[in-house]
Amino acid sequence: MAEIISGRDIAATIIESDLIARVETLKAKGILPKLVVILVGEHPASASYVRQKEKFAERAGIISEVRRFEASVSEDAILNQIETINNDETIHGVIVQLPLPDHISVEKVLKKIRPEKDVDGFTATNVGNLFLGEPGHQSCTPKGIIRLIDESKTEIKGANAVVLGRSNIVGKPVGLLLLNRGATVTTCHRGTKDVDFFLKQADIVVVAVGKIGLVKGEQLKPGCTVIDVGINRTEEGKLVGDVDFESAEKVARKITPVPGGVGPMTVVSLIENTIEAAEAVS
Ligand code: GUN
């Protein structure tokens, strides 16, 4: 049976053994790290993520403020709000919770955020820094995934890593981070002809597609490490990932659960990025 990699426990340890102390150091210098979350409309999953973010911020001792807008808010109003936040020295990090209503351009919104305050790591500047392996805010889910893999004592250098999914938020950046750390990376997507061929060679598998039961145990290489980024709800209302956990845990050596795997690591990475942003101006 595979060892379970508990993101919940690792995130708690990061907060208690590192983040709280860093916040205390900043406070001693008169700096109170502050994160602002812009939430537009009533997306149920977004509301739940945002609550998680507030909870973790409180545990680490930073300020978090959620600025809520009706789904009908204009694009200009959001762009003006970001401009105000960009110029507010008491705010160190800002994120705009996605998805946004169709009439608001994600590209325009992201372009408006000052890269120093872009603690989601979504702006072109931060994505470019990640591409180059230069310092900058790393996008939170990929950063959390690398931390999970490291904490599970899985060697990244020299490993065959397969990423399923090519989104800008997870698939592409996590592939780059793994590559920067010396893995041989293959990114599979809906156009990939033979996903099983790649999975069979994979020492590390990252699944970020959003499809229940997409990967089963028999497709995996025995002894691999599996990181399941999927968050799906079954018809019975149960939260599950993209990996069929029951069969996969019989083949993998290490595997993340859903919930309690990648999710808490994403949130802790966001809080850490906000602290880093505050440290940079201290
Ligand atoms: N929606 C789903 N995941 C994320 C995330 O990491 N950041 C933001 N801003 N929106 C999201």
Side-chain angles (χ1 to χ4, degrees), residues 50-253:
V50 168
R51 273 196 302 277
Q52 279 282 95
K53 289 168 185 173
E54 288 182 283
K55 209 164 80 185
F56 273 55
E58 194 184 327
R59 281 167 63 187
I62 75 167
I63 299 178
S64 72
E65 182 188 326
V66 182
R67 298 193 179 172
R68 292 167 204 275
F69 296 86
E70 303 272 336
S72 59
V73 68
S74 71
E75 186 179 82
D76 275 346
I78 296 298
L79 295 175
N80 288 337
Q81 179 60 224
I82 293 171
E83 182 68 27
T84 304
I85 291 168
N86 281 343
N87 295 323
D88 184 337
E89 284 180 11
T90 68
I91 300 170
H92 305 94
V94 59
I95 70 163
V96 179
Q97 189 64 35
L98 303 178
L100 286 171
D102 289 344
H103 67 278
I104 302 177
S105 156
V106 174
E107 290 72 28
K108 270 196 206 165
V109 164
L110 293 182
K111 273 209 171 83
K112 192 80 183 172
I113 300 173
R114 262 179 62 189
E116 296 84 353
K117 297 194 182 191
D118 164 35
V119 285
D120 249 339
F122 287 174
T123 58
T125 301
N126 283 318
V127 173
N129 284 330
L130 183 127
F131 182 98
L132 296 169
E134 298 274 339
H137 290 306
Q138 285 182 0
S139 121
C140 302
T141 301
K143 177 173 176 163
I145 290 170
I146 297 297
R147 189 82 189 250
L148 274 180
I149 297 172
D150 282 340
E151 295 286 336
S152 78
K153 305 274 186 295
T154 300
E155 178 88 56
I156 296 177
K157 192 168 177 218
N160 289 337
V162 167
V163 179
L164 303 192
R166 56 175 159 180
S167 69
N168 287 338
I169 293 184
V170 184
K172 283 191 219 167
V174 82
L176 274 171
L177 288 177
L178 288 163
L179 183 63
N180 289 348
R181 287 281 300 275
T184 300
V185 181
T186 306
T187 303
C188 298
H189 47 82
R190 68 176 81 240
T192 303
K193 288 204 180 81
D194 188 356
V195 174
D196 284 8
F197 169 80
F198 296 105
L199 279 178
K200 273 291 169 206
Q201 349 245 331
D203 305 303
I204 298 171
V205 180
V206 179
V207 192
V209 174
K211 224 180 235 171
I212 296 176
L214 182 72
V215 174
K216 302 202 168 39
E218 70 252 31
Q219 295 170 279
L220 299 169
K221 177 180 172 187
C224 67
T225 293
V226 178
I227 309 292
D228 189 350
V229 190
I231 303 177
N232 312 290
R233 237 173 239 288
T234 64
E235 282 172 13
E236 298 82 42
K238 192 173 163 226
L239 220 49
V240 296
D242 291 351
V243 176
D244 177 49
F245 189 84
E246 209 183 322
S247 60
E249 73 168 339
K250 295 192 178 91
V251 182
R253 181 165 300 137

Side-chain angles (χ1 to χ4, degrees), residues 1 11 15 22 25 37 47-48 58 94 124 136 153 159 213 238 249:
M1 281 299 193
I15 292 175
R22 286 163 68 183
T25 304
V37 177
S48 141
E58 194 184 327
V94 59
K153 305 274 186 295
K238 192 173 163 226
E249 73 168 339

